[in-house]
Amino acid sequence: MLNDPFQRLNLDREVLTVSQLNGRARVLLEDVFAQVWVEGELSNLAKPASGHVYFTLKDGQAQVRCALFRQNALRVRQALRDGLAVRVRGKVSLFEGRGDYQLILDSVEPAGDGALRLAFEALKSKLAAEGLFASERKLPLPAHPQRIGIVSSPTGAVIRDIISVFRRRAPQVALTLIPTAVQGREATAQIVRALALADAQGFDALILARGGGSLEDLWCFNEEAVARAVDACVTPIVSAVGHETDVSIADFVADVRAPTPSAAAELLAPHSADLRQRLEGLRQRLLLRMRDRLQREAACLESLTRRLRHPGERLLQQSQRVDDLEQRLARAIDRRLCVGHERLARLETRLAAQHPGRTLNLLRQRLEHLANRLPRAMNDSLKGRRQRLAGLGQTLNVVSPLATLGRGYSILLDEHGHAIRSASQTHPGQRLQARLGEGRLQVRVEDNHLEPVTLPLL
């Protein structure tokens, strides 16, 4: 076999098999078009059980088949559907079994993504030149926040994750949701209004949060109006938009960027155990300093005792005051810890009162009540429909032509079964059929009184 599959055929007119021809064509296409970007519209989308994705990419004049194998399909975050405009990357190849020309893809992204990225970089450069990203503009986060505002959507997993982190780490912190849309045409204006409203309420810190999504889904956080609204806030802001790999303009302007909404909550939620450990450390440091102070004071007292005569009473008072202060400090520490334990117990009791079992019992009782009402409602409905049917039957009987025939009237029918409504439809000598209330008669027209009758005079 030739080392170069594209070596010119020899003068003896080398004859190739179909497999050899398709193989050489495939290697040629993959070598020349090792990686290309193609933009078009999806059609004929197929997703077999293997996990591979097959579709046709087309424009107004042509189309090409595409194959996206499972390992690459798992990395595509955009939901693929027929009619979607996309930009794909891959190599041109040939399916040797059928001789079909196709693209083997490794990336699929929305067709507008490139334009959005250019707009992103342009706005980023503009705001950076204005100094909105400068570190000296960043505000420090509070060490022990008591009230935190959350600017996010009221639905979805983001707000639940943030609440879960605070409930676990710092249940004493009061959370307030300032609801806003985080995707779509109205999202930008709503986010700007929500940030202004939250900044005016005197929170210790704000969390601007949204879950992950495509560049289009997160684009409202790349708008200049949102970036300037974040910069205008005097309250420290933690931006948590998208997943760890997602970066928005709001992340650069905010005081702190968190990779996820849960991480933003952890930044502002001091752990109770850490606080107790820090309090214990402060207590130990206080005791050590008190002991050192007492030792220094005792040494000073001893020195003064040697210098002064009869200072005992005053020194005893000072010593007693020091002991009293030490006891008061210990009692204050114990009282603070007791208050914290009582608050924790109350919160745990409130949490237990919100158990879903109570709601399920109420829903079960309502279901039983509705199940009892259903048969009665069905019987009442059927009874009403029967009465209506009987009334309609009586009305139908009143207007029925058979009832009219029963009162002595008849209907004349011609030889075709058509009803006679006018004398002009007949002619003398014509045979007709008369339908009575009971039975039928054969009659003959003697005179329809439409033509003058000539009578002989003699």
Side-chain angles (χ1 to χ4, degrees):
M1 181 177 178
L2 298 174
N3 293 330
D4 184 359
F6 313 115
Q7 183 176 354
R8 184 183 300 275
L9 299 179
N10 59 31
L11 297 178
D12 294 334
R13 200 175 63 177
E14 178 185 358
V15 177
L16 302 176
T17 64
V18 175
S19 298
Q20 291 173 331
L21 176 62
N22 286 352
R24 293 190 182 187
R26 178 184 63 80
V27 175
L28 174 62
L29 289 173
E30 291 181 354
D31 182 63
V32 176
F33 300 99
Q35 185 181 82
V36 293
W37 283 92
V38 184
E39 185 172 313
E41 180 181 312
L42 283 179
S43 65
N44 301 324
L45 181 67
K47 297 180 179 180
S50 62
H52 307 322
V53 179
Y54 303 97
F55 55 85
T56 300
L57 195 65
K58 66 179 183 179
D59 57 16
Q61 289 79 33
Q63 64 182 18
V64 60
R65 292 185 178 182
C66 300
L68 181 65
F69 295 131
R70 181 174 180 273
Q71 63 272 19
N72 293 322
L74 293 175
R75 296 198 298 267
V76 177
R77 293 187 299 178
Q78 180 76 14
L80 301 181
R81 64 181 186 280
D82 287 343
L84 181 68
V86 296
R87 182 181 291 117
V88 301
R89 184 185 66 190
K91 63 180 179 181
V92 180
S93 184
L94 190 79
F95 181 47
E96 298 183 29
R98 292 196 304 265
D100 287 343
Y101 162 76
Q102 64 181 359
L103 286 173
I104 305 298
L105 306 180
D106 55 36
S107 175
V108 178
E109 63 183 36
D113 186 67
L116 293 179
R117 293 191 184 279
L118 291 176
F120 176 93
E121 295 298 332
L123 181 59
K124 178 182 175 183
S125 300
K126 174 183 176 181
L127 298 181
E130 295 181 16
L132 267 66
F133 304 161
S135 58
E136 55 269 16
R137 299 172 70 100
K138 308 298 183 183
L139 299 175
L141 298 181
H144 303 287
Q146 298 299 317
R147 296 176 62 247
I148 292 178
I150 303 171
V151 179
S152 184
S153 171
T155 60
V158 170
I159 186 65
R160 292 196 299 271
D161 292 343
I162 293 175
I163 293 174
S164 176
V165 170
F166 276 96
R167 183 177 296 166
R168 171 173 48 86
R169 292 174 58 91
Q172 74 279 2
V173 177
L175 302 178
T176 301
L177 174 64
I178 298 86
T180 178
V182 293
Q183 180 177 340
R185 191 178 308 172
E186 303 296 330
T188 300
Q190 291 191 25
I191 292 173
V192 171
R193 288 195 298 269
L195 286 171
L197 177 63
D199 190 44
Q201 296 188 21
F203 292 110
D204 296 328
L206 298 177
I207 297 177
L208 178 62
R210 189 215 188 277
S214 63
L215 185 59
E216 290 88 345
D217 295 339
L218 303 177
W219 189 250
C220 57
F221 295 94
N222 295 321
E223 294 286 355
E224 183 174 356
V226 173
R228 297 196 180 278
V230 172
D231 180 67
C233 289
V234 297
T235 307
I237 296 181
V238 178
S239 175
V241 178
H243 298 300
E244 294 187 14
T245 57
D246 298 322
V247 179
S248 65
I249 297 296
D251 291 337
F252 293 108
V253 182
D255 300 299
V256 177
R257 176 191 178 266
T260 63
S262 297
E266 292 178 357
L267 287 174
L268 292 171
H271 203 290
S272 301
D274 295 339
L275 291 177
R276 285 194 294 269
Q277 183 178 0
R278 183 180 178 187
L279 182 60
E280 181 62 24
L282 292 175
R283 180 174 176 275
Q284 294 296 333
R285 288 175 58 189
L286 179 60
L287 292 176
L288 290 174
R289 290 195 177 187
M290 288 175 60
R291 187 178 299 113
D292 293 341
R293 178 67 179 273
L294 290 174
Q295 290 176 355
R296 289 196 303 271
E297 292 294 338
C300 182
L301 179 60
E302 184 179 358
S303 175
L304 292 174
T305 302
R306 288 194 299 265
R307 293 172 57 188
L308 296 176
R309 303 182 67 180
H310 307 292
E313 184 177 352
R314 187 173 181 180
L315 292 176
L316 288 175
Q317 291 177 353
Q318 294 294 336
S319 178
Q320 184 178 2
R321 177 174 175 79
V322 171
D323 293 339
D324 180 61
L325 291 175
E326 182 178 7
Q327 293 174 2
R328 288 173 58 188
L329 177 62
R331 288 196 300 269
I333 293 174
D334 293 339
R335 185 164 54 251
R336 183 66 180 271
L337 290 175
C338 183
V339 170
H341 288 309
E342 290 177 355
R343 178 179 174 82
L344 179 61
R346 288 197 303 270
L347 292 176
E348 290 177 347
T349 302
R350 289 174 57 189
L351 179 61
Q354 301 298 325
H355 195 278
R358 298 179 58 191
T359 304
L360 290 176
N361 290 333
L362 294 175
L363 293 176
R364 190 178 294 109
Q365 293 175 3
R366 184 181 178 189
L367 179 61
E368 292 175 355
H369 175 67
L370 293 176
N372 293 330
R373 288 176 55 190
L374 180 61
R376 293 197 299 271
M378 291 176 61
N379 291 332
D380 294 343
S381 178
L382 290 175
K383 183 178 178 180
R385 291 178 182 271
R386 290 193 188 98
Q387 293 176 354
R388 183 183 178 189
L389 180 61
L392 293 176
Q394 293 177 359
T395 303
L396 181 62
N397 188 46
V398 169
V399 300
S400 173
L402 297 178
T404 303
L405 295 178
R407 294 197 296 271
Y409 294 91
S410 64
I411 300 175
L412 291 178
L413 306 174
D414 60 13
E415 60 273 13
H416 301 295
H418 298 154
I420 302 300
R421 295 180 173 83
S422 173
S424 63
Q425 295 179 258
T426 65
H427 57 82
Q430 182 180 6
R431 290 189 175 276
L432 303 175
Q433 187 182 84
R435 182 173 179 178
L436 308 177
E438 294 182 1
R440 300 170 183 264
L441 294 177
Q442 294 291 334
V443 300
R444 189 180 67 177
V445 178
E446 294 294 338
D447 188 3
N448 57 7
H449 299 283
L450 296 177
E451 296 179 358
V453 179
T454 304
L455 298 178
L457 298 178
L458 299 178

